[in-house]
Amino acid sequence: DGGITQSPKYLFRKEGQNVTLSCEQNLNHDAMYWYRQDPGQGLRLIYYSQIVNDFQKGDIAEGYSVSREKKESFPLTVTSAQKNPTAFYLCASSPTSGGAGELFFGEGSRLTVL
Amino acid sequence: GNSVTQMEGPVTLSEEAFLTINCTYTATGYPSLFWYVQYPGEGLQLLLKATKADDKGSNKGFEATYRKETTSFHLEKGSVQVSDSAVYFCALSSWGAQKLVFGQGTRLTINP
């Protein structure tokens, strides 16, 4: 079945360590997104990519990095510079690159910093 | 800039009650409007959408009408079930904006 796969579902990290969250889609979508969700808050956009080898910062990009070397993959690295990385991270894709249409979401990755 | 304001939660109802979750927006041009639902521990799923004024989106007994004159897209359901317990997000997109703007979400709990 087509969809978005995020891994790992749960991840624990010690302070000072970088961690990479995987996001893979087989929907042939051009656009991919990373959102952060904190308890009781909405979704905040971290990074997005409209096309391979190109990406833009979202509203809270500090302390994060991404790459888009393949159309189907958009990994997110949470670096040690991110002050409060414990959160639920959601990856999404969209078939529309000229403007955001419907988003398709993965099931999320929950990161906990120990 | 574009923004979405949702009714604050949490909202708690009894089974078979009528549900309204308010959503208003600010946007340039003619945005598309969406309602997403998030069940516990999962990602978001599209519930319904409307792409132009006066359109009504509907799915699983939920409805929302795109009201340009009041800049609103309120979510309604006539008779809620326990299985409707989730967090609901209103969102909008504008052509050329390249990203969706989400409201803060409304947690809905339905008691049997």
Side-chain angles (χ1 to χ4, degrees), chain B residues 26-99:
Chain B
T26 301
T28 55
Y30 301 94
S32 294
L33 300 172
F34 306 84
W35 276 101
Y36 284 83
V37 59
Q38 184 181 32
Y39 298 104
E42 298 183 8
L44 277 69
Q45 305 172 23
L46 178 68
L47 180 59
L48 54 84
K49 66 180 180 182
T51 58
K52 61 183 188 296
D54 299 325
D55 268 1
K56 178 186 285 188
S58 62
N59 186 27
K60 300 181 181 179
F62 291 90
E63 293 184 339
T65 302
Y66 187 162
R67 302 283 188 202
K68 189 171 186 297
E69 64 276 13
T70 54
T71 61
S72 65
F73 193 55
H74 305 322
L75 182 68
E76 296 181 336
K77 187 174 184 181
S79 177
V80 292
Q81 306 300 313
V82 172
S83 57
D84 293 327
S85 298
V87 180
Y88 293 80
F89 292 91
C90 186
L92 71 81
S93 74
S94 296
W95 185 255
Q98 298 187 335
K99 57 183 181 179

Side-chain angles (χ1 to χ4, degrees), chain A residues 3 11 25 27-28 31 35 46-47 50 52 73 78 82-83 88 102-103 112-113:
Chain A
L11 186 61
Q25 55 103 354
L27 300 168
N28 200 33
Y35 286 89
I46 305 173
Y47 269 98
Q50 299 290 316
V52 174
S73 178
V78 184
Q82 168 51 233
K83 298 285 185 271
F88 190 51
E102 175 184 346
L103 293 186
T112 303
V113 173

